Amino acid sequence: MGGIQAKILKTSVDKLEPGDILYDTEIKGFVARALPSGKVSYGFRYRNGGGASKWLSLGIHGSAFTAEQARTLAKKRAGEVADNRDPVAEQEQARSEAKKEKLSGTNTVNAILDAFVKRHASKLRSQDQIEHAFDAYVRPKLGPKSIYEVKRSEIVIMLDGVEDEAGPVMADRVLAHVRKAFNWQAARDDEFKSPIVRGMARTKPKERARKRTLADEEIRDVWKALDNAVEANAVPPCYPRFVKSLMVCATRRTESARMHSSEIDGDVWTIPGERYKTKLDHVVPLTASMRALIGEKPKGNNSNSWFVFSTTHGARAFSGFSKAKKALDSEIAKIRKVEKRDAMPRWTLHDLRRTARSLMSRAKVPTDHAERVLGHVIGGVRETYDRYEYLDEKRDALEKLAGLVELILNPPADNVFQLGAAK
């Protein structure tokens, strides 16, 4: 073991024992070291213009990097030193510039989320929900940061804030969207590793399955608060109509929010399969209650088609869900405070769909027809062979639902307690 002087060639390198150092006799500073592991490392030692000793690693001997390749590289570095250059300093500068490039705007969390939405999320029916999660919770906390600098602790702090503001289920939804975006980036970026790990979720799958339905009193509170919110200019005029449609049609939030006049034919609304959960067209018979919510063509609209629930005269669908829901909850809280009642337990817009299904059972709507109103596929043989649309049956179910909602909103004076108890 020790220093050996000889021309560095494959034959001489193959004879090295662990601990041996081979100094090349032709290129000053060119060295081959036999490591304890048995591998051989090539390097180049030199002094820079200030007289400081520097060591530059050239690579590890193997099939992908031979002694001849190492010699060529050492000769090139020796030439750079002869020209008063400092190869080590130049490498450090290059790494520093590469790091700065990573920290530039093209690699911020905002930029990655933009790219993810454009190339992936835009093809999904859940695009609106994904963008809302990013805009409301992720961008304000992490948006300007480089993706290479996002830490696990920052993800956790962000989720803590979501949980405090909107509950643990929403925190898990945000986590799922961010995880997918970061994994999408990791598949395209050799150097990025997602900071999201196991154990960040706030709930278990069974806990995320909500069962909340609104009691009669709560339904009355929501309807009254919607009217109050419009009068206070806290929500746009289209918002009460939109929220009520979720109940009287038993639809999902985005399905109603993106309702378009082109989808309406007489008293039938057909939600196209490309924006419906089952990927099948869903036909909704329009009751008198729902037709009243749809209304007429918006003033100021110069086209022949429009989004029914819109703040831009039908040009774009309503999308300010979070802000409007907060305003609605605030109005509900005011009503209950004045009447000295307890605060209303946390609820979501999707709970209205679940409530509508419960009310249909209460109105004695047959189970299959109620499920068809919700767009649920009836399994088994019927799913394959039964192509009947059940329009009359669904219309009857929705009429009974509308009638029961009306009775809840305007109960006979001597029957208020009875309706609440029936719930």
Side-chain angles (χ1 to χ4, degrees):
M1 298 177 65
I4 305 170
Q5 291 192 353
K7 185 175 181 179
I8 296 178
L9 301 170
K10 182 180 183 303
T11 53
S12 57
V13 168
D14 289 342
K15 296 177 182 179
L16 294 177
E17 298 291 338
D20 287 347
I21 301 177
L22 180 60
Y23 297 97
D24 191 75
T25 53
E26 292 186 358
I27 303 174
K28 184 179 179 181
F30 182 30
V31 176
R33 293 178 172 178
L35 305 176
S37 64
K39 294 182 178 180
V40 175
S41 171
Y42 296 109
F44 180 65
R45 188 184 300 280
Y46 67 97
R47 291 186 181 278
N48 64 11
S53 178
K54 296 292 185 73
W55 169 262
L56 181 66
S57 177
L58 301 177
I60 301 295
H61 178 76
S63 59
F65 191 68
T66 66
E68 286 304 315
Q69 289 174 316
R71 171 175 292 280
T72 300
L73 192 54
K75 187 179 293 186
K76 181 178 180 180
R77 297 294 176 254
E80 292 171 353
V81 173
D83 291 336
N84 293 319
R85 293 171 57 184
D86 188 341
V88 170
E90 292 177 3
Q91 281 192 359
E92 291 175 349
Q93 182 178 356
R95 282 194 291 267
S96 177
E97 292 176 353
K99 184 176 181 180
K100 289 180 181 179
E101 184 178 349
K102 285 183 179 180
L103 300 179
S104 67
T106 58
N107 288 306
T108 63
V109 171
N110 276 335
I112 299 309
L113 296 183
D114 288 341
F116 174 74
V117 169
K118 178 181 178 181
R119 296 184 177 276
H120 180 77
S122 60
K123 304 171 186 177
L124 306 176
R125 290 188 302 276
S126 56
Q127 178 185 354
D128 289 346
Q129 298 174 28
I130 294 172
E131 289 191 273
H132 168 69
F134 291 162
D135 294 344
Y137 303 114
V138 184
R139 295 183 191 272
K141 298 292 184 181
L142 304 176
K145 290 185 68 70
S146 164
I147 57 168
Y148 303 100
E149 289 191 327
V150 176
K151 299 177 181 178
R152 294 177 186 175
S153 59
E154 293 175 307
I155 298 291
V156 172
I157 292 172
M158 177 189 74
L159 295 175
D160 286 344
V162 178
E163 183 174 7
D164 292 343
E165 179 180 344
V169 174
M170 178 56 75
D172 281 351
R173 288 175 183 167
V174 173
L175 174 63
H177 295 322
V178 175
R179 178 190 286 115
K180 195 162 189 178
F182 281 10
N183 287 345
W184 177 84
Q185 176 63 20
R188 306 160 65 88
D189 187 336
D190 293 332
E191 298 184 24
F192 174 66
K193 291 184 179 180
S194 175
I196 296 176
V197 296
R198 283 180 174 272
M200 289 185 171
R202 305 306 167 96
T203 64
K204 296 178 181 179
K206 288 184 179 180
E207 295 172 347
R208 290 195 290 271
R210 287 180 60 82
K211 299 179 181 179
R212 172 94 158 90
T213 58
L214 273 62
D216 292 357
E217 182 181 56
E218 292 176 324
I219 295 173
R220 289 191 285 270
D221 286 343
V222 171
W223 256 242
K224 183 177 180 180
L226 285 168
D227 294 338
N228 291 353
V230 170
E231 292 178 6
N233 292 320
V235 298
C238 71
Y239 186 67
R241 295 187 294 114
F242 158 66
V243 173
K244 293 174 183 179
S245 75
L246 302 178
M247 175 75 86
V248 299
C249 283
T251 45
R252 299 176 182 87
R253 187 185 76 174
T254 305
E255 293 161 7
S256 275
R258 300 190 67 81
M259 185 182 192
H260 197 270
S261 62
S262 63
E263 300 170 354
I264 301 172
D265 184 9
D267 62 352
V268 173
W269 170 30
T270 301
I271 306 175
E274 58 264 26
R275 69 180 192 85
Y276 200 72
K277 188 173 183 178
T278 63
K279 298 184 180 180
L280 302 172
D281 289 357
H282 178 56
V283 180
V284 182
L286 297 175
T287 63
S289 297
M290 185 59 195
R291 290 197 298 272
L293 296 177
I294 292 173
E296 302 297 330
K297 178 179 178 179
K299 294 181 180 180
N301 185 289
N302 298 320
S303 66
N304 293 321
S305 62
W306 59 90
F307 286 102
V308 172
F309 305 115
S310 172
T311 58
T312 55
H313 307 295
R316 293 187 300 276
F318 174 76
S319 61
F321 304 110
S322 181
K323 182 178 179 180
K325 178 60 163 54
K326 287 181 180 178
L328 174 57
D329 286 339
S330 177
E331 292 297 330
I332 293 174
K334 291 177 184 177
I335 292 171
R336 291 191 160 226
K337 184 176 181 180
V338 169
E339 298 178 3
K340 298 181 178 180
R341 289 186 283 141
D342 293 338
M344 182 167 167
R346 182 178 173 275
W347 68 288
T348 69
L349 292 181
H350 193 74
D351 294 337
L352 295 175
R353 173 176 162 88
R354 195 178 299 106
T355 302
R357 175 62 183 86
S358 179
L359 291 178
M360 281 188 277
S361 291
R362 184 168 148 190
K364 308 302 181 184
V365 174
T367 299
D368 280 6
H369 299 338
E371 290 299 305
R372 289 186 176 97
V373 167
L374 267 66
H376 291 166
V377 176
I378 306 300
V381 175
R382 286 182 295 174
E383 178 183 352
T384 304
Y385 293 101
D386 193 347
R387 296 308 184 198
Y388 178 54
E389 291 288 349
Y390 291 90
L391 278 177
D392 291 340
E393 291 81 358
K394 288 195 287 188
R395 188 184 307 279
D396 180 66
L398 289 171
E399 291 285 3
K400 288 180 178 178
L401 171 62
L404 185 51
V405 170
E406 179 62 27
L407 188 60
I408 289 171
L409 296 175
N410 300 288
D414 61 345
N415 201 32
V416 174
F417 176 79
Q418 180 182 344
L419 282 170
K423 177 64 178 171

